[in-house]
Amino acid sequence: MKKVSLFVIICCMFLSACSAKDEPSFQMKSFSYTDQNGQPFGSENLKDKVWIANFIFTSCETVCPPMTASMSALQKELKNQNLDVELVSFSVDPTIDTVDVLKTFMEKFTVDSSNWHMLTGYSQKEIEEFAREEFQTLVQKPSSSDQVIHSTSFYVVDKNGEVVSNFGFQQSHFDELIPEVKKLLKS
């Protein structure tokens, strides 16, 4: 009987933990990297701003071009709605994605880099740790491939540098993402 009671208590504790808010919520440590214009850019530039982040790389053969096209569409929609939001794309292949490579890649999707920064200037190990520790996501470059494993989410970060939610990158998710951004801009 004691074993059954203990089992029920443990199950209840586990289930109550699972019922907590299921969106991410954690404060980001400060960072400073280099953007596609060769300029330093990091958490100080994002202080007191709402921003959306993703992880991409320019030699990606699958999801990165559609993700970047979607980020460009999001940038246009945010501007159409007069929403002051920064966009940050972290390269997950910093050895290949130099400043010039990122700039050329961005120009395929937008001419407006006023609020969109593609970042590099760190080691592979650093971006893998940064993604894991700050966004709770996996970035991994297998030695057997030139492709990098990474998240396809758009992460919403509040004015305090706290990752508060993530969404799929497809434009169909804008109906959820944009109201979240509006709510954060008002707070």
Side-chain angles (χ1 to χ4, degrees):
M1 187 67 169
K2 285 185 179 182
K3 288 182 182 179
V4 172
S5 297
L6 182 58
F7 177 75
V8 170
I9 290 169
I10 291 172
C11 286
C12 288
M13 289 172 47
F14 178 77
L15 291 174
S16 67
C18 290
S19 66
K21 186 178 178 187
D22 56 357
E23 293 181 351
S25 182
F26 37 88
Q27 186 112 15
M28 193 168 306
K29 71 178 181 182
S30 86
F31 66 90
S32 181
Y33 301 127
T34 305
D35 75 7
Q36 74 279 0
N37 296 313
Q39 299 300 310
F41 188 87
S43 50
E44 280 302 309
N45 304 91
L46 297 165
K47 191 174 181 177
D48 299 323
K49 295 182 180 182
V50 174
W51 53 289
I52 299 167
N54 71 343
F55 294 89
I56 54 98
F57 65 108
T58 62
S59 60
C60 177
E61 297 171 357
T62 57
V63 74
C64 298
M67 284 176 64
T68 307
S70 190
M71 187 70 91
S72 178
L74 179 60
Q75 179 188 42
K76 289 174 187 160
E77 185 58 32
L78 293 167
K79 287 195 181 247
N80 287 343
Q81 295 192 33
N82 291 319
L83 300 173
D84 185 20
V85 177
E86 294 289 318
L87 306 176
V88 180
S89 295
F90 294 94
S91 168
V92 295
D93 198 3
T95 304
I96 301 297
D97 291 342
T98 63
V99 168
D100 292 337
V101 169
L102 287 175
K103 186 173 185 74
T104 300
F105 184 72
M106 180 181 262
E107 288 171 350
K108 294 177 183 178
F109 298 93
T110 186
V111 295
D112 181 5
S113 63
S114 62
N115 69 325
W116 189 358
H117 302 270
M118 291 190 170
L119 301 182
T120 191
Y122 36 78
S123 70
Q124 188 66 41
K125 181 180 178 187
E126 285 175 295
I127 191 59
E128 290 176 8
E129 289 174 1
F130 181 78
R132 182 179 61 251
E133 293 170 9
E134 306 307 328
F135 289 89
Q136 309 298 300
T137 191
L138 175 72
V139 168
Q140 186 176 36
K141 186 172 184 179
S143 58
S144 60
S145 174
D146 64 351
Q147 297 297 289
V148 183
I149 301 164
H150 64 90
S151 164
T152 60
S153 294
F154 282 4
Y155 297 88
V156 179
V157 184
D158 71 10
K159 294 175 185 177
N160 299 316
E162 188 174 324
V163 178
V164 294
S165 56
N166 61 29
F167 297 92
F169 73 89
Q170 299 86 351
Q171 292 183 36
S172 61
H173 293 280
F174 292 2
D175 291 342
E176 300 168 88
L177 189 153
I178 290 174
E180 176 79 10
V181 165
K182 287 179 180 178
K183 181 176 76 175
L184 292 173
L185 287 169
K186 290 179 183 176
S187 61

